[in-house]
C-alpha cells in the first residue's frame, strides 16, 4: 500500500462536492477557505497514522481548493494544513503547524490527546494569542477517514409517523444499553446495542415511535474535563458534522450506524438526531485550533464587531457559528441532507436553535438558515424540532419558529412541574398545557403538534429525582455544586434523597404517575426521557453532562415499584394510541354541534361547566377536561367528523380524595382506564 501511495498521481479534480469523495479509483478532495494562501493535504498510514505524503492543492475556484488523488481507497486517512495570515486582531488564525480536520469529513478516527501543540498561540505567553505557536500537533490529532457510502438498505423505508401520532424517547446511545444484561457484552453501549432485540423490544413495549438520540456527531472531550478525569458524556462539543462518533461503534465502521437505523425502521421506530450546529469544540479566542479556526476563522465564526479578536458567544461555549454567512448555511444544510439521504434519519432536534436563526444579531424567523431549510426539498419533509432559546439577548423564542417547525416547550415543563411539585399552583395554569399551549403556537399558524411536551430531559433532574430532591447535588462534577439549574421546580415529598419512609416513597410514586399521566393526555407531542419509566436516578445530579459512568447509565435490574411504573407508562401509551381525542391535529374550537357538544369542555368537580368566576378562584384545586369523541374542530369542510371515544380527564392536585360528578354520556357509560392513586394505575 505504501508503494501504491508513492505512485498515486494528483489530478485537477472538482471543486464540488466539498470533502473527500471516493469514486472507486481515487479520492477527490475539496476544501473551502477564503483566508487560505496555500492548502496542503496530508496523507497518513492507516496502521500507525504516520504521515506518508503531503500534497499542495493548487487548483482554486471561488475560495475552494481542490485536487484528485488516484489510488486512494476507503480507510485511508488524511488532514489539512492551511497557510495564511495569523492576525488575531483581525480574526485570522491560520497556522500550518496545526493539522486540521476537514469540516466535511465523513469519518474521524483516533483520540484527541490534549497538549499545548493544539493551540495556535504559545500557552503561557504574556500576550496570550498574540504569540504564535510552531509546535506541531499531528501526532496527537484524530485523522479524517476516506469512506465508502455504499450500504445495502434493502427495503428500508422511513416509518413516516405523523407528528400527532408520535411519542419521542430521548436517549443516549451508550447509556441506554451499557448495563443491559440481555445485550451481548461486546455490543453494550453501541449503535448495534441500541438496535438489539432486547433494546427494540423495550422501546416497542413502551409505545414510543421515535428515539431521539443525544449527539452522535463526532465530538471532543473538553481539555478541562480530561484534566479532571471526566468526559463530555452528552456530546454537545461537536467537531465533525458529517461523521458519526465511532466511540459508539462496536465494529469501528459507519455501516454500524446505518445498520442501527435500518433495524429501528424495520421495527417501526424513527431516528431523530440531537444536532449541535450552534458552536464547535474550538471554544473562544483562547481555545484550540482543530478545524474551522485554522481553516477560516473569520468565515465560520461570528466575531465581535467591536473587536474581531473576540468571538460572539450566544451559546455559552465561547464561540458561535455564523449562520448569517451563506457558506456556513451551506455547510449545515449539506450536513443535514447527508444524514437524511445517506444515513436515513427521520429528523433533527436542534440544540440552541435560536442561534441558528439569528441574522446579523437578532432572531429572524425567515432568515437565511430557516429559509434554506424550509425551501429544501429533502429537509422540509423531515421532522424539525427547535430548542427555541440561546443565552444571547432576546434568545428565548418559544412560539416564534415558523412552519413546519416544532419546538421543545419549556413553558409546558415549567408549568406542569409547578402544578404538581410547587406550592399553591392554580388548576387553571394546567389547562393551557393540557390543551396544547395554543396561546404560544397558534399565532404562528401552527397546530398542537408544534408543541413537543416535556417534563424531564437529559438536562436537569430525572423524573425520579424531580420528586426526590429539593436541591441539586452535583458535587461529583468537580465544580463545588455551582453548575446546573438552581430553580428545579421539584419536591422531595418529605425527605431529601434516599429514604425508607414508606409514606414518602408511596407519595413519590404517585407523583411520578401524575406527571406522566399529564404528559400523555396533553395535546401536542409527548417526549419521554429514557429511564423515567424505570425510575432512573442520578442521585440528585441535575447536570450529568460529564458523568460517563453508572451515575448516568440505565440500570435494568428493577424492583417491584419500577416494574409497576413501566407497566403504567405502557398503559398510558396504549390509551393515547387508542384515543384520537388525545392526538388532535387542530386546535379546539369554541363552537358546539347541534346536540350541544364541544371539542373540549372544562368542568368543576360538581359537574357544571367552568365559568370565569371559577377560573379566578385562587385555591381551585381540581378540574375535569371533557374531550368530545366527535372532534368537532377536526372536521374538514364537506367531510364527516372523525369518530372516537370521548375522554374525561379528572385532575385533583390535593393529596386527599375529592368527589367528581361525572357528566352524562350519551349511548354508554364511563369506563375507567387510568388512576394515578394506585400503584397499578388502574
Amino acid at each position: 500500500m505504501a508503494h501504491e501511495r508513492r505512485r498515486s498521481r494528483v489530478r485537477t479534480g472538482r471543486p464540488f462536492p466539498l470533502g473527500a469523495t471516493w469514486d472507486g479509483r481515487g479520492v477527490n478532495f475539496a476544501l473551502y477557505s477564503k483566508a487560505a494562501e496555500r492548502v496542503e493535504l496530508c496523507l497518513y498510514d492507516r496502521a500507525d497514522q504516520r504521515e506518508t505524503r503531503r500534497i499542495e492543492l493548487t487548483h482554486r475556484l471561488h475560495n475552494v481548493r481542490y485536487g484528485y488523488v488516484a489510488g486512494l481507497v476507503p480507510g485511508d486517512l488524511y488532514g489539512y494544513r492551511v497557510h495564511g495570515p495569523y492576525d488575531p486582531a483581525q480574526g485570522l488564525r491560520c497556522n500550518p503547524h496545526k493539522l486540521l480536520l476537514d469540516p466535511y469529513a465523513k469519518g474521524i478516527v483516533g483520540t484527541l490527546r490534549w497538549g499545548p501543540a493544539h493551540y495556535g498561540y504559545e500557552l503561557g505567553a504574556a500576550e496570550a494569542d498574540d504569540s504564535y505557536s510552531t509546535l506541531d500537533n499531528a501526532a496527537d490529532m484524530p485523522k479524517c477517514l476516506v469512506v465508502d457510502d455504499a450500504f445495502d438498505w434493502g427495503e428500508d423505508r422511513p416509518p413516516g409517523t405523523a407528528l400527532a401520532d408520535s411519542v419521542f424517547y430521548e436517549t443516549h446511545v451508550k447509556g441506554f444499553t451499557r448495563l443491559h444484561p440481555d445485550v451481548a457484552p461486546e455490543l453494550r453501549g453501541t449503535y448495534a446495542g441500541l438496535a438489539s432485540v432486547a433494546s427494540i423490544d423495550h422501546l416497542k413495549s413502551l409505545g414510543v415511535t421515535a428515539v431521539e438520540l443525544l449527539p452522535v456527531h463526532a465530538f471532543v472531550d473538553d481539555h478541562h474535563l480530561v484534566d479532571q478525569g471526566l468526559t463530555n458524556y452528552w456530546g454537545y462539543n461537536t467537531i465533525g458534522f458529517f461523521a458519526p462518533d465511532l466511540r459508539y461503534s462496536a465494529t469501528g465502521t459507519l455501516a454500524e450506524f446505518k445498520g442501527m437505523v435500518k433495524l429501528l425502521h424495520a421495527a417501526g421506530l424513527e431516528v431523530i438526531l440531537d444536532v449541535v450546529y450552534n458552536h464547535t469544540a474550538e471554544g473562544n479566542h483562547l481555545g484550540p485550533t482543530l478545524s474551522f479556526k485554522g481553516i477560516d476563522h473569520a468565515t465560520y465564526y461570528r466575531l465581535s464587531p467591536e473587536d474581531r479578536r473576540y468571538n460572539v458567544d450566544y451559546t455559552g461555549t465561547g464561540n458561535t457559528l455564523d449562520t448569517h454567512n451563506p457558506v456556513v448555511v451551506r455547510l449545515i444544510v449539506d450536513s443535514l441532507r447527508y444524514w437524511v439521504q445517506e444515513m436515513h434519519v427521520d429528523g433533527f432536534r436542534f440544540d440552541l436553535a435560536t442561534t441558528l436563526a439569528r441574522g446579523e444579531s437578532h432572531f429572524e424567523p425567515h432568515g437565511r438558515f430557516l429559509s434554506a431549510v424550509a425551501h429544501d426539498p429533502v429537509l422540509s419533509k423531515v421532522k424539525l424540532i427547535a430548542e427555541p432559546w440561546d443565552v444571547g439577548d432576546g434568545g428565548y423564542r418559544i412560539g416564534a419558529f415558523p412552519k413546519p417547525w416544532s419546538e421543545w416547550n419549556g413553558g409546558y415543563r415549567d408549568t406542569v412541574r409547578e402544578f404538581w411539585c410547587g406550592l399553591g399552583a392554580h388548576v387553571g395554569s394546567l389547562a393551557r398545557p393540557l390543551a396544547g399551549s395554543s396561546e404560544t403556537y397558534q399565532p404562528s399558524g401552527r397546530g398542537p403538534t408544534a408543541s413537543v411536551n416535556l417534563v424531564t430531559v437529559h438536562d436537569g433532574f430525572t423524573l425520579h429525582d424531580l420528586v426526590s430532591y429539593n436541591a441539586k447535588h452535583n458535587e461529583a462534577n468537580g465544580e463545588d455544586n455551582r453548575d446546573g439549574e438552581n430553580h428545579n421546580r421539584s419536591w422531595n415529598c418529605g425527605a431529601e434523597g434516599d429514604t425508607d419512609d414508606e409514606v414518602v416513597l408511596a407519595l413519590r410514586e404517585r407523583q411520578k404517575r401524575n406527571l406522566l399521566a399529564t404528559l400523555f393526555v396533553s395535546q401536542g407531542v409527548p417526549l419521554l426521557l429514557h429511564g423515567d419509566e424505570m425510575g432512573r436516578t442520578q442521585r440528585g445530579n441535575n447536570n450529568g453532562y460529564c458523568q460517563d459512568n453508572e451515575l448516568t447509565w440505565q440500570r435494568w435490574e428493577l424492583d417491584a415499584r419500577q416494574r409497576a411504573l413501566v407497566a403504567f407508562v405502557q398503559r398510558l401509551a396504549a390509551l393515547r394510541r387508542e384515543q384520537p381525542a388525545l392526538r388532535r391535529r387542530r386546535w379546539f374550537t369554541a363552537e358546539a354541534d347541534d346536540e350541544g357538544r364541544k371539542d373540549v369542555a372544562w368542568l368543576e368537580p360538581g359537574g357544571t361547566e367552568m365559568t370565569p368566576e371559577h377560573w379566578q378562584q385562587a385555591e381551585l384545586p381540581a378540574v375535569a377536561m371533557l374531550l368530545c369523541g366527535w372532534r368537532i374542530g377536526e372536521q374538514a369542510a364537506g367531510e364527516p367528523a372523525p369518530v372516537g371515544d370521548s375522554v374525561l380527564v379528572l385532575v385533583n392536585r390535593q393529596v386527599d380524595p375529592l368527589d367528581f360528578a361525572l357528566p352524562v354520556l350519551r349511548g354508554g357509560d364511563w369506563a375507567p382506564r387510568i388512576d394515578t392513586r394506585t400503584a397499578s394505575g388502574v
Side-chain angles (χ1 to χ4, degrees), residues 325-389:
N325 189 314
V327 172
V328 178
V329 172
R330 182 180 66 187
L331 167 75
I332 298 173
V333 169
D334 285 349
S335 169
L336 294 170
R337 288 173 64 95
Y338 178 78
W339 285 95
V340 174
Q341 294 178 311
E342 291 292 341
M343 300 298 203
H344 286 207
V345 304
D346 304 283
F348 306 93
R349 177 267 187 189
F350 293 79
D351 181 63
L352 300 184
T354 297
T355 294
L356 304 177
R358 288 181 181 270
E360 290 187 0
S361 60
H362 301 298
F363 177 85
E364 295 181 356
H366 302 290
R368 280 181 173 157
F369 172 70
L370 293 182
S371 293
V373 172
H375 293 99
D376 189 277
V378 174
L379 302 181
S380 59
K381 294 181 175 63
V382 302
K383 291 180 171 65
L384 302 169
I385 305 158
E387 182 185 42
W389 52 77

Side-chain angles (χ1 to χ4, degrees), residues 409 432-433 435-444 446-448 451 587-588:
N409 192 342
R432 292 185 179 89
S437 305
S438 61
E439 73 287 351
T440 300
Y441 298 107
Q442 195 168 16
S444 63
R446 292 175 290 169
S451 177
W587 298 110
F588 295 126

Side-chain angles (χ1 to χ4, degrees), residues 441-511:
Y441 298 107
Q442 195 168 16
S444 63
R446 292 175 290 169
T449 56
S451 177
V452 175
N453 299 329
L454 46 96
V455 175
T456 56
V457 290
H458 67 277
D459 186 2
F461 279 147
T462 66
L463 182 66
H464 177 86
D465 291 355
L466 185 67
V467 300
S468 302
Y469 294 90
N470 285 346
K472 65 184 182 183
H473 296 270
N474 297 353
E475 291 79 8
N477 295 354
E479 300 182 40
D480 297 323
N481 207 34
R482 294 188 302 270
D483 63 304
E485 177 61 55
N486 292 314
H487 188 36
N488 294 286
R489 299 175 174 87
S490 62
W491 178 39
N492 64 20
C493 297
E496 187 74 356
D498 292 341
T499 181
D500 295 327
D501 189 321
E502 286 297 325
V503 174
V504 172
L505 293 173
L507 180 56
R508 287 178 179 175
E509 294 305 308
R510 182 172 175 178
Q511 283 289 81

Side-chain angles (χ1 to χ4, degrees), residues 175-437:
F176 187 60
T177 64
R178 180 63 180 80
L179 299 177
H180 202 309
D182 296 327
V183 174
E186 66 274 13
L187 301 183
R188 293 173 188 169
T190 68
Y191 302 122
L194 183 62
S196 66
V197 172
S199 174
I200 289 176
D201 283 351
H202 179 75
L203 294 169
K204 293 291 289 181
S205 77
L206 292 178
V208 302
T209 66
V211 289
E212 183 177 305
L213 304 181
L214 266 68
V216 297
H217 287 173
F219 65 92
V220 170
D221 291 321
D222 314 60
H223 197 165
H224 75 278
L225 291 178
V226 173
D227 286 346
Q228 298 177 67
L230 300 170
T231 63
N232 194 313
Y233 172 64
W234 286 346
Y236 289 92
N237 205 32
T238 304
I239 199 61
F241 294 122
F242 291 77
D245 200 296
L246 294 181
R247 74 189 79 188
Y248 300 142
S249 174
T251 58
T253 66
L254 277 65
E256 184 177 328
F257 182 93
K258 295 180 178 181
M260 173 195 73
V261 173
K262 184 177 179 180
L263 288 170
L264 291 171
H265 280 181
L269 296 166
E270 294 184 313
V271 179
I272 310 294
L273 299 188
D274 191 335
V275 288
V276 190
Y277 294 110
N278 57 78
H279 74 279
T280 77
E282 292 185 300
N284 63 16
H285 64 293
L286 297 178
T289 299
L290 307 174
S291 179
F292 307 88
K293 183 178 289 186
I295 292 169
D296 195 345
H297 184 255
T299 288
Y300 287 109
Y301 295 115
R302 290 182 183 265
L303 304 182
S304 169
E306 290 80 24
D307 189 341
R308 291 175 63 80
R309 176 187 301 275
Y310 301 106
N311 296 79
V312 172
D313 185 10
Y314 295 131
T315 65
T317 66
N319 68 53
T320 301
L321 278 181
D322 187 5
T323 50
H324 193 56
N325 189 314
V327 172
V328 178
V329 172
R330 182 180 66 187
L331 167 75
I332 298 173
V333 169
D334 285 349
S335 169
L336 294 170
R337 288 173 64 95
Y338 178 78
W339 285 95
V340 174
Q341 294 178 311
E342 291 292 341
M343 300 298 203
H344 286 207
V345 304
D346 304 283
F348 306 93
R349 177 267 187 189
F350 293 79
D351 181 63
L352 300 184
T354 297
T355 294
L356 304 177
R358 288 181 181 270
E360 290 187 0
S361 60
H362 301 298
F363 177 85
E364 295 181 356
H366 302 290
R368 280 181 173 157
F369 172 70
L370 293 182
S371 293
V373 172
H375 293 99
D376 189 277
V378 174
L379 302 181
S380 59
K381 294 181 175 63
V382 302
K383 291 180 171 65
L384 302 169
I385 305 158
E387 182 185 42
W389 52 77
D390 64 18
V391 302
D393 290 341
Y396 192 72
R397 306 300 302 187
I398 284 184
F401 281 74
K403 293 180 179 179
W405 288 75
S406 298
E407 300 172 17
W408 269 24
N409 192 342
Y412 179 98
R413 173 200 60 208
D414 296 345
T415 299
V416 171
R417 286 187 177 194
E418 286 174 350
F419 181 80
W420 290 113
C421 300
L423 297 174
H426 190 280
V427 72
S429 66
L430 192 64
R432 292 185 179 89
L434 283 173
S437 305

Side-chain angles (χ1 to χ4, degrees), residues 523-567:
Q523 301 299 325
V525 184
L527 182 148
L528 183 67
L529 173 64
H530 92 255
D532 275 356
E533 78 280 10
M534 293 181 271
R536 184 173 71 90
T537 179
Q538 293 179 174
R539 303 188 187 96
N541 190 318
N542 73 352
N543 191 29
Y545 81 103
C546 59
Q547 299 294 331
D548 185 4
N549 50 53
E550 294 193 16
L551 183 71
T552 53
W553 300 340
Q554 175 59 48
R555 302 170 188 84
W556 292 87
E557 295 77 18
L558 307 182
D559 60 25
R561 283 193 176 94
Q562 292 167 325
R563 290 193 296 273
L565 191 61
V566 171

